[in-house]
């Protein structure tokens, strides 16, 4: 590229000198009419185009062409390819005698250029390019050009393009792009010293779907090509402005040493909002408006070493900002990089961006962080920390406040928090989370809260409802099982320690809820899961057991035994001759302890106690086959004096029940022969009636 620029510069200088000498000769030898005829014949014969100009005037050392026109291929009937109202070249004569080139003026006024991409993919200027020009010159010839700066004494008082347009049309897709009112000027150009420049233009874009008009661009600055010594060349943009309606970009910056470039940029972007984006995106979106975006950047590159460094890239919005520095090495086949980012996000700024949409969430607080990334195999390394300071929000109609904590990132596969504290709905809580994914995913979770209240939980939206989870009719059962097997989750290890002193919502309420788990290889099937789980709760009520069971794997394990007890009681209600509606469960306490292994949950302990009845469950639940092997004892009162024993088989979705008469009679008679002698079969039936009648109030429809 450097050599090409030098070649063009040398050719330009030679051209100016030759033109200067030739103009005097042309004026004498070729009158205007003869010159025009020669030009028209040459263009027609070589390019199948037409050329026209109103006048050519020769000065002592210059030329002016007026009303110049150059047609499309086929002649002016096809349109104008290039036209110009005037073109002027004036050179000072005396400096030429001293081997100096001092140009008074090079100017073009009213230039119009029409660029068209035809339906066959070719451009309307392709026929002007000779076939030989498309061939690449042999590399040895390129090496003949000296790499040293080209010595030249070249200046130009005034270089300009005024009132000019460039119009681009793509006939393949119907898009159009135009650059209008182009005004570009260079004052006091010097091949060896700094000079000033100015640019202004407006554009229109029409892609069919997107129409933008007008977009204005303006810029002023200085440049120095330093005799084509790129190590000393520089450019300074004092102002660079882009405006479209209320959207504005204002920047300033510069570049020095084009061989080892160092660049800087500073400015603002205003007016980014939903109205602007709507002109590019047809989809509806909520109203938003970004504050002024402040940008500041500094970068350097070593082109010989194929390295780059961004010492500063800062973006600020209101009180929030992101500051980044980075370096990259392109010298090896695989890119090597490192970056450091500092973030400071004030949630009030986030609320201000979309006030109408986010007002209800009442966001506040500060999020800060320091993140470092670097190239590594097989994935980039990430390290750092994120700090929450006094975060607040409205969540499901409840107020979250005073959230404070730190997230530590050791890698993308190793993230943990300290003990995060906060207040939710006037109730203190603390929580922590550790996540790792080295060989497989592992999660360690702790949550401790005084009171957790949510009104009207919609399990149909938040979680899979019982109706959606129910097996289909037998004709569709195979298809349902196949569809279920398509759901996949990689096995993971999980530890959980949850304590909530009071829980209240529309489907479940209780005191002193605890849940502990230490499970390995957990997935949706539970086939390879192993470990332990336990839970307890007191003084509560379950109002919709189906939805709770189907909301997660954990709750399915915990409450399946209670569900089976429901079905068992309903199936054996004939003993009491009554009707038991089992939509709700009221209790004084629930305790569960389970061991998982081989796809089977062993029920070490599962007790539900109430003033009216006590349910004790033992046995196993096979989550792979869904087979049940359980025994449920139902006793009257919280002390379970006298109990009915029920054997449970079948599957989770289709359980079978059988009254264990021997165990029931033994329990009712206390196990002694004398007692048995005094108890009749009718007495047993009456006692079972009392038991099942008493638990009607334990399981009742609300």
């Amino acid at each position: 590229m450097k050599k090409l620029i030098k070649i063009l510069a040398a050719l330009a200088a030679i051209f100016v000198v030759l033109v200067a000498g030739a103009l005097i000769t042309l004026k004498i030898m070729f009158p205007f009419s003869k010159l025009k005829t020669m030009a028209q014949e040459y263009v027609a014969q070589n390019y199948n185009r037409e050329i026209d100009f109103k006048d050519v005037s020769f000065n002592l050392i210059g030329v002016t062409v007026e009303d110049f026109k150059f047609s499309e291929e086929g002649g002016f009937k096809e349109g104008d390819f290039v036209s110009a109202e005037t073109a002027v070249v004036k050179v000072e004569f005396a400096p030429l005698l001293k081997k100096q080139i001092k140009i008074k003026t090079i100017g073009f006024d009213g230039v119009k250029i029409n660029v068209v991409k035809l339906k066959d993919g070719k451009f309307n200027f392709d026929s002007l390019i000779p076939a030989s020009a498309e061939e690449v010159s042999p590399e040895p010839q390129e090496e003949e050009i000296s790499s040293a700066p080209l010595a030249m004494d070249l200046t130009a008082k005034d270089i300009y393009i005024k009132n000019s347009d460039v119009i681009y049309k793509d006939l393949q897709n119907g898009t159009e792009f135009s650059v209008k009112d182009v005004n570009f000027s260079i004052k006091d150009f010097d091949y060896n010293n700094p000079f000033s420049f100015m640019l202004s233009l407006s554009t229109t874009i029409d892609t069919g779907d997107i129409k933008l008009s007008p977009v204005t661009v303006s810029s002023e600055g200085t440049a120095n090509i330093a005799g084509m010594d790129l190590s000393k060349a520089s450019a300074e943009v004092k102002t660079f402005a882009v405006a479209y309606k209320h959207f504005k970009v204002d920047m300033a910056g510069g570049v020095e040493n084009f061989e080892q470039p160092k660049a800087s940029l500073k400015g603002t972007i205003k007016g980014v909002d939903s109205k602007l984006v709507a002109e590019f995106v047809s989809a509806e979106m909520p109203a938003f408006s970004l504050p002024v975006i402040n940008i500041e950047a500094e970068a350097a590159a070593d082109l010989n070493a194929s390295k780059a460094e961004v010492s500063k890239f800062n973006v600020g919005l209101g009180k929030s900002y992101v500051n980044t520095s980075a370096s990259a090495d392109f010298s090896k086949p695989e890119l090597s990089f490192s970056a450091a980012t500092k973030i400071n996000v004030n949630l009030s700024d986030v609320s201000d961006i979309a006030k109408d949409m986010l007002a209800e969430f009442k966001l506040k607080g500060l999020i800060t962080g320091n993140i470092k990334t670097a190239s590594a195999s097989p994935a980039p390394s990430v390290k750092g920390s994120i700090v929450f300071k006094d975060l607040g929000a409205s969540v499901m109609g409840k107020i979250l406040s005073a959230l404070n904590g730190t997230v530590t990132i050791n890698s993308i596969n190793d993230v943990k928090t300290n003990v995060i504290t906060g207040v939710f709905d006037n109730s203190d809580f603390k929580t922590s989370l550790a996540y790792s994914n080295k060989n497989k995913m592992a999660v360690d979770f702790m949550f401790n809260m005084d009171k957790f209240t949510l009104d009207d939980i919609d399990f149909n939206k938040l979680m899979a409802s019982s109706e959606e989870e129910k097996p289909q009719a037998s004709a569709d059962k195979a298809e349902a099982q196949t569809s279920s097997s398509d759901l996949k989750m990689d096995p993971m290890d999980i530890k959980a320690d949850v304590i909530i002193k009071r829980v209240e919502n529309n489907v479940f309420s209780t005191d002193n809820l605890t849940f502990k788990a230490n499970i390995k290889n957990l997935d949706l099937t539970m086939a390879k899961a192993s470990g332990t789980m336990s839970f307890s709760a007191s003084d509560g009520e379950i109002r919709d057991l189906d939805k709770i069971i189907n909301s997660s794997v954990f709750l399915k394990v915990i409450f399946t035994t209670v569900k089976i007890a429901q079905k068992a009681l309903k199936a054996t209600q004939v003993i009491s001759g009554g009707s038991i509606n089992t939509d709700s469960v009221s209790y004084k306490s629930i305790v569960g302890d389970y061991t998982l292994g081989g796809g089977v949950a062993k029920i070490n302990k599962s007790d539900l106690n109430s003033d009216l009845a006590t349910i004790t469950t033992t046995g196993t639940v096979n989550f792979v086959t869904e087979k049940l092997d359980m025994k449920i004892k139902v006793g009257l009162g919280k002390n379970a004096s006298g109990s009915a024993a029920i054997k449970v088989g079948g599957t989770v979705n289709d359980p079978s029940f059988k009254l264990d008469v021997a165990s029931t009679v033994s329990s009712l008679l206390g196990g002694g022969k004398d007692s048995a002698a005094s108890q009749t079969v009718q007495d047993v039936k009456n006692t079972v009636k009392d038991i099942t009648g008493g638990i009607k109030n334990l399981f009742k429809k609300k």
Side-chain angles (χ1 to χ4, degrees):
M1 183 64 182
K2 176 180 175 183
K3 294 176 181 178
L4 177 60
I5 293 173
K6 290 178 180 178
I7 293 171
L8 294 175
L11 291 173
I14 294 169
F15 172 76
V16 172
V17 174
L18 292 175
V19 169
L23 288 175
I24 299 173
T25 305
L26 285 171
K27 187 172 183 180
I28 297 172
M29 296 181 63
F30 300 99
F32 170 72
S33 59
K34 186 175 182 179
L35 182 64
K36 182 175 182 179
T37 300
M38 291 173 61
Q40 289 174 331
E41 290 177 352
Y42 178 83
V43 170
Q45 291 173 5
N46 290 276
Y47 300 108
N48 189 28
R49 295 178 186 246
E50 292 180 326
I51 189 172
D52 190 23
F53 42 89
K54 181 178 180 181
D55 190 20
V56 177
S57 59
F58 296 98
N59 303 311
L60 176 62
I61 191 76
V63 62
T64 300
V65 180
E66 296 182 2
D67 291 338
F68 173 85
K69 293 181 180 180
F70 189 71
S71 77
E72 295 281 11
E73 189 172 8
F76 285 118
K77 66 180 183 296
E78 303 296 333
D80 294 347
F81 172 53
V82 177
S83 64
E85 294 179 8
T86 59
V88 180
V89 178
K90 292 183 180 180
V91 180
E92 294 185 16
F93 178 73
L96 293 174
L97 303 177
K98 301 177 183 179
K99 297 182 179 180
Q100 298 175 340
I101 303 172
K102 291 191 176 182
I103 301 171
K104 286 184 178 180
T105 304
I106 298 178
F108 300 91
D109 192 353
V111 176
K112 303 288 189 292
I113 302 174
N114 293 297
V115 179
V116 180
K117 186 177 183 181
L118 304 173
K119 291 183 178 180
D120 60 4
K122 295 180 179 180
F123 287 91
N124 62 336
F125 55 77
D126 284 351
S127 62
L128 299 174
I129 304 174
S132 59
E134 297 176 357
E135 298 176 1
V136 179
S137 300
E139 201 161 315
Q141 293 183 10
E142 185 177 335
E143 293 300 322
E144 293 175 6
I145 306 300
S146 172
S147 61
L150 179 64
M152 183 186 301
D153 190 356
L154 173 63
T155 62
K157 189 70 175 174
D158 191 14
I159 301 173
Y160 67 84
I161 299 174
K162 297 192 300 184
N163 307 315
S164 298
D165 302 338
V166 178
I167 299 174
Y168 171 77
K169 293 182 179 179
D170 189 331
L171 300 184
Q172 285 187 323
N173 56 32
T175 60
E176 183 174 328
F177 174 79
S178 66
V179 180
K180 295 185 176 182
D181 301 323
V182 177
N183 289 278
F184 175 73
S185 67
I186 295 177
K187 297 293 185 182
D188 299 321
F189 171 83
D190 193 318
Y191 183 72
N192 299 295
N193 295 293
F195 56 87
S196 62
F197 64 86
M198 182 279 294
L199 169 69
S200 67
L201 57 87
S202 66
T203 67
T204 60
I205 300 173
D206 185 353
T207 66
D209 295 328
I210 299 174
K211 295 182 179 181
L212 302 178
S213 177
V215 179
T216 61
V217 180
S218 62
S219 181
E220 291 185 10
T222 59
N224 183 6
I225 62 175
M228 296 310 298
D229 183 350
L230 298 185
S231 65
K232 297 179 181 178
S234 64
E236 180 185 2
V237 179
K238 295 179 180 178
T239 63
F240 177 80
V242 178
Y244 174 69
K245 294 184 178 178
H246 60 281
F247 172 73
K248 297 180 185 292
V249 176
D250 291 292
M251 295 288 170
V255 181
E256 60 183 36
N257 188 352
F258 281 77
E259 286 188 344
Q260 308 294 327
K262 294 181 179 179
S264 62
L265 176 71
K266 187 175 183 179
T268 60
I269 300 175
K270 303 176 182 178
V272 179
D273 57 18
S274 52
K275 293 180 180 179
L276 177 69
V277 176
E279 299 199 31
F280 299 88
V281 180
S282 58
E284 292 187 9
M285 62 183 62
F288 72 89
S289 178
L290 295 183
V292 176
I293 303 172
N294 296 287
I295 297 176
E296 186 175 3
E298 294 179 0
D302 187 336
L303 301 182
N304 295 325
S306 297
K307 294 182 179 180
E309 179 180 359
V310 179
S311 56
K312 179 191 296 185
F313 186 81
N314 300 343
V315 179
L317 292 88
K319 301 174 185 177
S320 304
Y321 60 81
V322 177
N323 296 344
T324 300
S325 61
S327 62
D329 186 345
F330 304 92
S331 62
K332 298 178 181 179
E334 292 189 5
L335 172 66
S336 174
F337 70 90
S338 64
T341 301
K342 182 177 182 180
I343 63 173
N344 188 98
V345 178
N346 193 308
L347 294 187
S348 62
D349 289 334
V350 178
S351 291
D352 290 341
I353 290 173
K355 292 182 179 180
D356 294 341
M357 181 177 66
L358 299 177
E360 64 179 293
F361 297 105
K362 301 177 182 178
L363 301 177
K364 64 179 181 178
L366 187 66
I367 300 175
T368 62
N370 291 278
I371 307 294
K372 292 183 178 181
T373 60
S375 53
S377 182
S381 66
V382 180
K383 292 185 178 181
S385 62
I386 298 174
V387 178
F388 306 137
K389 185 175 181 181
D390 294 331
L391 298 191
S394 175
V395 181
M396 290 181 282
K398 308 293 183 178
I399 299 299
L400 171 68
S401 62
L403 182 68
N404 291 277
T406 300
V407 179
T408 301
I409 305 170
N410 296 313
S411 73
I412 58 175
N413 292 318
D414 186 1
V415 181
K416 63 181 179 180
T417 72
N418 67 342
V419 176
I420 297 174
T421 60
V423 179
F424 182 73
D425 194 24
N426 296 314
S427 178
D428 293 338
F429 72 87
K430 60 182 179 179
T431 185
S432 65
L433 176 69
Y435 162 84
S436 65
N437 192 9
K438 295 177 182 178
N439 297 318
K440 64 178 175 180
M441 188 186 303
V443 175
D444 191 337
F445 175 68
M446 180 276 291
F447 186 78
N448 193 318
M449 190 173 188
D450 289 339
K451 184 178 181 180
F452 184 71
T453 304
L454 285 178
D455 301 326
D456 298 328
I457 298 177
D458 190 344
F459 275 83
N460 293 322
K461 292 183 178 180
L462 297 178
M463 303 173 183
S465 72
S466 59
E467 293 301 319
E468 293 170 336
E469 293 288 332
K470 284 182 180 179
Q472 299 181 14
S474 57
D476 299 328
K477 188 173 182 180
E479 182 181 350
Q481 290 175 345
T482 301
S483 175
S484 177
S485 67
D486 290 338
L487 298 173
K488 302 212 173 180
M489 181 182 83
D490 291 333
M492 63 181 292
D493 298 344
I494 186 165
K495 290 183 179 180
D497 186 357
V498 177
I499 300 175
I500 305 177
K501 294 180 181 177
R502 179 63 184 170
V503 176
E504 289 183 3
N505 56 63
N506 58 307
V507 294
F508 180 65
S509 63
T510 191
D511 288 337
N512 302 315
L513 175 66
T514 68
F515 173 74
K516 296 182 184 294
N518 187 357
I519 303 172
K520 296 185 180 298
N521 299 315
L522 176 68
D523 63 9
L524 293 177
T525 67
M526 303 286 288
K528 297 180 180 180
S530 63
T532 60
M533 285 182 14
S534 64
F535 79 98
S536 63
S538 62
D539 297 315
E541 182 180 18
I542 302 170
R543 301 183 186 90
D544 196 328
L545 193 55
D546 280 334
K547 290 184 178 180
I548 292 178
I549 286 176
N550 289 308
S551 64
S552 76
V553 173
F554 285 124
L555 295 179
K556 189 170 187 177
V557 173
I558 292 171
F559 288 104
T560 289
T561 55
V562 180
K563 179 65 177 177
I564 297 302
Q566 276 190 334
K567 292 187 175 183
L569 291 170
K570 197 167 187 178
T572 57
Q573 64 183 331
V574 67
I575 298 174
S576 66
S579 176
I580 300 175
N581 295 311
T582 58
D583 292 333
S584 299
V585 180
S586 298
Y587 58 86
K588 294 297 291 182
S589 68
I590 297 179
V591 178
D593 183 76
Y594 309 88
T595 300
L596 305 179
V600 176
K602 181 183 177 183
I603 306 169
N604 302 317
K605 184 177 184 180
S606 181
D607 296 344
L608 186 150
N609 298 298
S610 168
D611 288 338
L612 301 173
T614 298
I615 301 174
T616 300
T617 306
T618 57
T620 60
V621 179
N622 191 314
F623 288 102
V624 178
T625 64
E626 295 192 351
K627 288 185 177 180
L628 303 174
D629 183 8
M630 299 165 54
K631 180 179 284 189
I632 298 175
K633 291 184 178 181
V634 182
L636 187 63
K638 60 183 178 180
N639 296 320
S641 56
S643 61
I646 303 170
K647 290 182 178 181
V648 182
T651 65
V652 173
N653 292 309
D654 187 21
S656 62
F657 310 100
K658 183 179 180 181
L659 183 66
D660 188 342
V661 177
S663 296
T664 301
V665 171
S666 176
S667 172
L668 295 175
L669 299 181
K673 291 183 180 180
D674 294 338
S675 299
S678 62
Q679 185 74 22
T680 64
V681 173
Q682 186 60 43
D683 292 332
V684 172
K685 289 184 177 181
N686 291 335
T687 304
V688 172
K689 275 188 178 183
D690 291 339
I691 293 172
T692 54
I695 61 178
K696 286 182 182 180
N697 292 322
L698 172 63
F699 293 96
K700 58 185 177 181
K701 182 181 286 290
K702 294 291 181 180

